[in-house]
Amino acid sequence: MELDAGSEVKKMEEAGKGKSQTLICAPLMADSVDQMLNLMQKAKESGADLVELRLDSLKSFNPRHDISTMIEHCSLPTLFTYRPTWEGGQYDGDEKSRLDALHLAMELGADYIDIELKVVHEFNSLLHGNKPAKCKIIVSSHNYHNTPSVEELSDLVARIQESGADIVKIATYALDITDVARIFKITLHSQLPIISMAMGEKGLISRILSPKFGSYLAFGTLETGRESAPGQPTIQDLLYLYNFRHIGPDTKVFGIIGKPVGHSKSPILYNKAFRSIGFNGVYIPLLVDDVANFLQTYSSSDFAGFSCTIPHKEAALANCDEVDPIAKSIGAVNCIIRKPADGKLFGCNTDYVGAISAIEDGLRGLPHNPVDGPLAGKIFVVIGAGGAGKALAYGAKEKGAKVVVANRTYERARELADIVGGQALSLAELSTFHPENGMILANTTSIGMQPKIDETPAPKEALSCYSLVFDAVYTPKITRLLREAEECGAEIVTGVEMFIGQAYEQYERFTGLPAPKELFKSIMSKY
Ligand code: NAP
């Protein structure tokens, strides 16, 4: 692919520079005021812009003395919240003392106080119209069960606006990732500054993308386990994994669709690469239950491309407007691009490109026909007939190899072998299969993957007739199969190389720019 990075990158650098207007707020929960002071210091060091002091987490405190101590000692702006149990907090004392403490915080110099919509009128009556100019009142509503309709949310926003709030806060719960779209919508249309989020694992994107859709702040914890509400990311992840400060309204969103998806290394890889060239994009984990529903909901050009992983590769194919013929034959799409011209979704499969190019690179040092390529005419044994097995079998066939498929379920081996015009074996037959030397072996099953690292799909005795052995498993990087193949004198190619290879291809399709290959390798060498 001919790609000219130069001027494009410069434009993107301009577009992506220091974008985020959204603040990062560290919610601080502590038993004692001393611990709270300590956490304030940590919040400053971690890069937070302000701290939320959760008074309801303190075992006891003297309002006048301790609130002024906390304000005096805090080098960041302060937000005081005293959340009652009826709104998901820990305070179960009388309302008057609670509202008085928040009123006092305002008078003592708090920058923000949070007051629940349900009691805002009682709180307003305490003020008698006198509100310190410095302090902004956040009027909040929390729903820990679901995310209502856009109409219901808009009505809620309107009621908060009418209550005299300086800032609206709406927190709902995401039962599905598509619920978050409603939060984005009301955020974009709010007339007052708004803090908005969908809580829970499936709401994570509402927090990461808050600078894109205009939330006033996002909550980020000091460390995992210190969340004050479900689904909060760490400040570290917001800043360094997702490049939060560089996300703005025009930032393109990419991500990996999967279930589960939290373990994926792709966000680290792509976001570091985007940063390295100032590309105005962010790559996020997308915990998706229903691919069709997800793609229909996030159909704007803002959502520019997706990687797909287990168990959604087949469903992704079914939901693309156009599919690359090889991906169609493989029956799986692992990369979806939204075409800028017409918004149509184009699906392709970069797994096979990644694996085959890594294997070809591994074979270049060995004797081969320089005209037809290193795989032409070679016997290529694929163990497994699932998604990765199909990708490897098709890729090898495309390159002129003679494909043999060995699988636990023989019928599936037979089916795939018939499609690629090859031979089928049972797994047991693999031990005695050595029609010639110099063959290629590719494991595409999960055998040997952590934690069962002592397992191997092929006995060591069978490996001496292979010149190259590849393993799609990449945790651990060197599997038992690869270790034994090396001991038998074969070249080895790891699943990490396939992972990097498929990512190069996707990166180039996402950005239209050449992938920073050395950076990818250096990032993946740490895992
Ligand atoms: P899949 O579609 O579920 O296919 C799994 C295949 O493995 C099937 O052929 C299955 O045989 C076989 N298998 C599973 N457990 C087995 C066992 N205990 N003994 C014998 N055979 C077994 O999965 P996939 O998407 O192809 O992924 C397979 C592996 O490739 C995974 O480890 C995945 O992490 C890895 N992968 C790596 C990359 C990369 O970038 N490195 C990319 C994609 C996939 P049956 O037909 O008998 O069920």
Side-chain angles (χ1 to χ4, degrees):
M1 206 186 306
E2 281 286 317
L3 296 163
D4 171 23
S7 61
E8 260 320 283
V9 171
K10 222 169 186 174
K11 263 191 267 162
M12 288 168 189
E13 267 172 352
E14 288 310 314
K17 208 174 278 171
K19 297 276 254 330
S20 176
Q21 304 286 311
T22 300
L23 304 171
I24 296 181
C25 179
L28 306 183
M29 314 266 288
D31 289 348
S32 70
V33 173
D34 278 351
Q35 280 175 18
M36 199 66 104
L37 297 178
N38 187 12
L39 292 177
M40 283 174 183
Q41 183 55 32
K42 286 192 173 149
K44 168 86 178 161
E45 288 159 13
S46 71
D49 300 304
L50 72 151
V51 288
E52 180 189 42
L53 302 157
R54 285 288 299 263
L55 294 176
D56 52 305
S57 67
L58 294 169
K59 293 263 184 271
S60 69
F61 70 101
N62 171 323
R64 183 162 292 279
H65 178 267
D66 292 331
I67 290 176
S68 67
T69 302
M70 288 187 269
I71 292 174
E72 267 167 37
H73 284 79
C74 194
S75 54
L76 292 173
T78 52
L79 155 58
F80 281 84
T81 298
Y82 202 178
R83 191 76 72 224
T85 46
W86 51 259
E87 185 88 357
Q90 297 180 17
Y91 178 79
D92 59 3
D94 74 287
E95 271 301 279
K96 179 158 183 345
S97 313
R98 190 175 78 85
L99 298 185
D100 282 347
L102 288 168
H103 187 203
L104 189 61
M106 285 178 90
E107 290 183 335
L108 292 173
D111 297 279
Y112 304 88
I113 59 125
D114 176 311
I115 186 81
E116 300 76 19
L117 175 63
K118 283 177 194 151
V119 294
V120 69
H121 292 299
E122 286 86 326
F123 185 75
N124 282 343
S125 62
L126 284 180
L127 301 181
H128 303 296
N130 297 322
K131 182 176 90 79
K134 179 192 171 199
C135 186
K136 291 192 166 61
I137 299 182
I138 298 169
V139 178
S140 63
S141 167
H142 299 80
N143 175 338
Y144 292 91
H145 306 292
N146 57 25
T147 301
S149 67
V150 170
E151 292 70 31
E152 287 169 290
L153 289 171
S154 304
D155 178 60
L156 194 55
V157 172
R159 282 193 284 133
I160 293 178
Q161 284 179 178
E162 285 158 14
S163 74
D166 295 305
I167 299 172
V168 175
K169 179 183 174 193
I170 304 259
T172 64
Y173 195 86
L175 297 173
D176 188 273
I177 193 166
T178 55
D179 294 345
V180 182
R182 301 198 286 282
I183 291 294
F184 291 150
K185 193 159 187 178
I186 57 139
T187 308
L188 280 170
H189 290 106
S190 176
Q191 281 156 22
L192 283 186
I194 181 168
I195 300 167
S196 59
M197 76 220 64
M199 296 179 282
E201 199 183 4
K202 293 175 184 172
L204 176 66
I205 70 167
S206 69
R207 300 176 186 275
I208 302 170
L209 298 181
S210 51
K212 178 170 177 66
F213 293 96
S215 178
Y216 185 82
L217 62 80
F219 291 96
T221 62
L222 293 182
E223 56 195 69
T224 307
R226 284 199 174 272
E227 297 82 13
S228 64
Q232 287 169 348
T234 62
I235 295 172
Q236 186 83 8
D237 279 356
L238 285 175
L239 289 175
Y240 305 112
L241 173 55
Y242 300 116
N243 302 325
F244 189 85
R245 301 283 190 215
H246 297 268
I247 300 175
D250 51 353
T251 299
K252 292 283 180 209
V253 180
F254 301 88
I256 178 156
I257 296 174
K259 186 184 176 184
V261 78
H263 64 285
S264 171
K265 301 280 181 273
S266 297
I268 301 173
L269 200 67
Y270 290 97
N271 286 324
K272 274 197 192 299
F274 289 169
R275 267 317 294 129
S276 74
I277 59 157
F279 179 76
N280 189 12
V282 61
Y283 187 102
I284 56 181
L286 299 162
L287 181 56
V288 169
D289 291 298
D290 179 333
V291 178
N293 194 15
F294 173 82
L295 292 173
Q296 274 155 23
T297 304
Y298 295 100
S299 60
S300 80
S301 58
D302 287 328
F303 290 81
F306 309 103
S307 311
C308 304
T309 187
I310 294 171
H312 292 319
K313 291 183 187 181
E314 286 81 13
L317 186 146
N319 285 285
C320 285
D321 300 303
E322 292 165 32
V323 177
D324 170 79
I326 295 180
K328 206 177 262 178
S329 316
I330 294 169
V333 151
N334 77 329
C335 176
I336 301 176
I337 310 296
R338 188 180 305 286
K339 291 177 19 188
D342 55 11
K344 292 221 158 100
L345 296 175
F346 171 77
C348 57
N349 190 308
T350 66
D351 276 342
Y352 92 93
V353 182
I356 294 294
S357 57
I359 291 170
E360 283 187 325
D361 285 349
L363 284 172
R364 291 209 199 277
L366 304 176
H368 66 270
N369 179 340
V371 180
D372 297 331
L375 283 172
K378 291 253 163 56
I379 294 182
F380 192 110
V381 180
V382 179
I383 312 177
K390 283 183 188 152
L392 267 289
Y394 274 93
K397 187 197 167 212
E398 284 284 304
K399 297 289 181 174
K402 293 181 260 178
V403 179
V404 176
V405 183
N407 194 43
R408 174 176 63 182
T409 310
Y410 177 78
E411 296 73 45
R412 291 187 79 195
R414 179 76 272 154
E415 218 173 284
L416 179 56
D418 284 348
I419 296 169
V420 296
Q423 185 181 347
L425 298 178
S426 66
L427 275 188
E429 285 173 303
L430 205 57
S431 326
T432 52
F433 181 76
H434 39 77
E436 63 186 42
N437 286 330
M439 300 188 294
I440 292 146
L441 182 68
N443 174 44
T444 69
T445 72
S446 50
I447 303 173
M449 190 165 92
Q450 259 165 6
K452 297 183 177 169
I453 57 169
D454 291 332
E455 295 184 358
T456 181
K460 188 174 179 183
E461 311 77 76
L463 299 179
S464 51
C465 49
Y466 293 96
S467 58
L468 182 142
V469 176
F470 162 79
D471 202 336
V473 171
Y474 61 98
T475 48
K477 184 175 175 182
I478 303 295
T479 56
R480 176 174 164 194
L481 174 70
L482 293 184
R483 196 178 62 244
E484 293 183 346
E486 209 165 27
E487 286 163 11
C488 292
E491 279 291 316
I492 60 164
V493 175
T494 70
V496 173
E497 287 159 82
M498 171 180 178
F499 180 78
I500 293 175
Q502 60 81 26
Y504 291 157
E505 178 80 11
Q506 291 203 23
Y507 182 93
E508 296 187 358
R509 287 179 182 266
F510 288 156
T511 63
L513 299 168
K517 297 191 174 181
E518 290 313 310
L519 180 67
F520 274 23
K521 284 183 192 161
S522 128
I523 294 167
M524 289 311 294
S525 69
K526 300 188 181 95
Y527 297 98

